[in-house]
Amino acid sequence: MNNIAIIFDMDGVIVDNHQFHLKSWLHFFEEHGVSMSEEEYKQKVNGRTMDEILPKILDREMSKEEIRELGGQKEEKYREMYLPHIMPTQGLPQFLQQLEQNSIPYAVATSAPPENVKFTLENTSLMERFTTIIDDTMVNKGKPDPEVYLTAAKKLNMAPEHCIVFEDAILGIQSGKNAGMKVVGVATTHKREELEKERTDHVIDDFSALTISELVSILRL
């Protein structure tokens, strides 16, 4: 098939790691004197870039160097916490095999830093499967801006209207929609009904039952 491409967000899609990011962020914020609930995390942090998160939450101006240093500390803690538990979202390796068998190109497009992308793909044995990767060093605007997904579509040489985005976060869903793409919500971070309210074209719990024919139907909606 040469008229469809798949773009995966990473956190909450390729891996079901919401609780580990949440715990590492809450640990980080506590160290810096900031109290935050899980609901506030979903609204203010999830899906955003470090450049957006840190100055706003810590409520002060910050240099690029300080953002990079503090963000690196947070992500190092996350990787330490998640490493013993990391695995692909259920059914994903088999779904990727379906895509490959049907010559459907796919990419990762994430707000995460390259260190986290390497950590995730290497420790799930998926690094060699993803030849197109967009990380936070390749875009200037965070979600819900469509830049990350439009950049991925360009790399795949595919028009946005022929792309399907897999997303777990509300801002990510909005980003995919703003890019003019179909969006499948993955119910890891949010409940199905929350994702359905965000104009998703389809919602899944994981990849175990997803078929190529369903993808074609979603694209035709």
Side-chain angles (χ1 to χ4, degrees):
M1 295 185 182
N2 57 8
N3 60 347
I4 181 173
I6 305 301
I7 306 176
F8 298 92
D9 176 39
M10 187 178 75
D11 294 322
V13 175
I14 289 175
V15 286
D16 184 359
N17 60 347
H18 165 67
Q19 288 300 320
F20 294 93
H21 265 304
L22 173 64
K23 289 176 183 176
S24 60
W25 268 118
L26 295 186
H27 178 271
F28 174 86
F29 287 136
E30 185 178 358
E31 286 188 329
H32 290 268
V34 176
S35 177
M36 180 174 290
S37 67
E38 181 171 357
E39 194 56 41
E40 287 175 316
Y41 163 82
K42 290 179 181 179
Q43 294 173 358
K44 299 177 180 179
V45 176
N46 194 32
R48 299 184 187 273
T49 64
M50 287 292 182
D51 287 351
E52 296 172 305
I53 296 166
L54 293 177
K56 186 172 183 178
I57 302 299
L58 299 183
D59 195 27
R60 59 185 172 85
E61 291 186 10
M62 302 174 71
S63 66
K64 288 282 188 181
E65 291 74 19
E66 186 181 12
I67 291 172
R68 188 160 52 246
E69 181 180 349
L70 291 179
Q73 292 173 12
K74 180 270 163 188
E75 297 301 357
E76 186 175 351
K77 184 66 176 178
Y78 154 73
R79 294 191 294 269
E80 175 189 319
M81 294 171 70
Y82 190 38
L83 181 58
H85 309 277
I86 190 168
M87 64 178 64
T89 300
Q90 186 173 345
L92 179 61
Q94 295 80 6
F95 180 62
L96 296 180
Q97 187 174 19
Q98 285 191 68
L99 297 180
E100 292 158 6
Q101 289 171 345
N102 287 273
S103 301
I104 297 175
Y106 58 87
V108 174
T110 176
S111 301
E115 294 85 357
N116 279 14
V117 176
K118 182 179 179 182
F119 165 81
T120 300
L121 297 184
E122 284 188 349
N123 286 291
T124 54
S125 300
L126 296 176
M127 180 62 83
E128 293 183 0
R129 308 286 289 272
F130 285 92
T131 56
T132 303
I133 298 171
I134 308 300
D135 60 43
D136 75 341
T137 66
M138 303 175 189
V139 294
N140 296 310
K141 299 176 182 178
K143 302 169 185 177
D145 190 275
E147 182 184 9
V148 67
Y149 287 126
L150 292 175
T151 301
K154 187 175 181 179
K155 288 278 188 181
L156 292 171
N157 196 29
M158 190 68 64
E161 60 267 26
H162 293 298
C163 296
I164 300 176
V165 168
F166 284 81
E167 258 288 355
D168 70 303
I170 302 303
L171 288 177
I173 291 168
Q174 294 169 356
S175 175
K177 284 296 182 179
N178 290 338
M181 302 176 182
K182 300 296 184 182
V183 180
V184 175
V186 184
T188 53
T189 304
H190 295 271
K191 296 178 181 178
R192 294 180 67 96
E193 51 266 32
E194 293 179 270
L195 300 181
E196 289 164 354
K197 288 178 182 177
E198 292 297 321
R199 299 186 300 126
T200 49
D201 298 288
H202 190 60
V203 176
I204 59 174
D205 294 318
D206 55 48
F207 294 91
S208 57
L210 196 59
T211 64
I212 299 301
S213 60
E214 283 183 283
L215 294 181
V216 174
S217 297
I218 291 166
L219 202 62
R220 290 174 178 171
L221 289 175

